[in-house]
Structure formats: structure tokens, C-alpha cells
Amino acid sequence: MAGISLRKARTIIRKAMEHGKSEGMKPLSVVVLDDGGNVIAFERGDGASPGRFGIAHGKAYGAVMLGMSGRAQMARAEAQAYFMAAANGVFGGSVVPVPGGVILRDAKGRMLGAVGVTGDTSENDEAAAVAGIEAAGGLTAEP
């Protein structure tokens, strides 16, 4: 697989949204980025606030650009706030360093991009991203 296809990205989004509904989560918004940080697909659930694209994107963008999940970014921010502040400055304030940004890998471990989910708690957002990635088949989630 050369990258993440639009079809696979849409599957990830659909499955993440289905997971959120089945778990009784608040309306989710989900974005899938390629390994260059470019948007492949995005969906905002019914009832989700309009600003959710920026948050979902920031979660996934930070994962791609820094090569670490949102959970790892949050730990880094807690341990070295100056590093994350500097990194966020480098990326124009586009990084949201909390769980919900999940790295997407192929079967060989190559990073294909990331999924960003927002709308519920960060932990629930992360669970929805992982569920979407795992349900798409042939992919591995790195939360």
C-alpha cells in the first residue's frame, strides 16, 4: 500500500463514528491525514460544534508532524511544556497535544498518517479513532 486511500479513510471515519454512537458518546468529528499532514477525508457528526474540524485536525496533525500520538504529546507537554510550546510555534499553533490523535500504520509498521477524533472526552475520542483504524482492516493504530 503506497498510502491511505480515500476509500480506507472513509471506512475509518464511518467505523469511528459508529463506535462513538454505540458507546453513547457525544457527536464526534473525525479527520484522516496522510503522512504529509494533508487531509484525505473529514466528517463532522450531526450536532457536533462547527469548530471541531480544527481540533480533530490539530490532534492528527501533531501526531504526523511529531511522529508521536496525542497521548505521547500530552505526556511530553506535562514533562517539558517548553518543548511542546516551541513545537506548536513551529507548526503555527496547529498542534492539539491530547489523546485523540492516533498514528496510522500499515502491516509493515510504516506510518501512513494519522486519525484525529474530537467531540467527547479525549480518552473516548482516542478509543473511537482506534476502533475506526482497527475496523478498516490491515492497519495498526498507535495511540
Side-chain angles (χ1 to χ4, degrees):
M1 177 186 286
I4 185 75
S5 68
L6 177 59
R7 182 171 177 249
K8 192 72 90 167
R10 287 179 173 159
T11 299
I12 291 167
I13 290 170
R14 186 179 76 252
K15 294 298 187 178
M17 295 284 216
E18 288 173 3
H19 176 83
K21 285 182 183 179
S22 73
E23 294 296 314
M25 294 179 193
K26 294 176 184 173
L28 300 179
S29 295
V30 184
V31 69
V32 179
L33 305 183
D34 67 15
D35 62 355
N38 303 296
V39 175
I40 299 172
F42 170 75
E43 188 171 315
R44 182 171 61 93
D46 292 340
S49 61
R52 292 294 176 177
F53 172 78
I55 298 168
H57 181 269
K59 288 180 176 188
Y61 191 74
V64 170
M65 292 297 121
L66 296 171
M68 63 175 83
S69 70
R71 183 168 295 281
Q73 291 173 57
M74 184 173 76
R76 185 76 182 263
E78 290 169 348
Q80 296 178 309
Y82 59 88
F83 171 79
M84 285 307 297
N88 210 356
V90 167
F91 299 117
S94 296
V95 174
V96 179
V98 296
V102 177
I103 293 175
L104 174 61
R105 295 191 184 277
D106 66 13
K108 294 182 179 180
R110 186 176 73 96
M111 186 171 77
L112 300 177
V115 176
V117 178
T118 185
D120 206 275
T121 66
S122 293
E123 290 74 19
N124 285 344
D125 294 345
E126 180 182 79
V130 170
I133 293 167
E134 290 177 349
L139 303 171
T140 302
E142 185 180 307

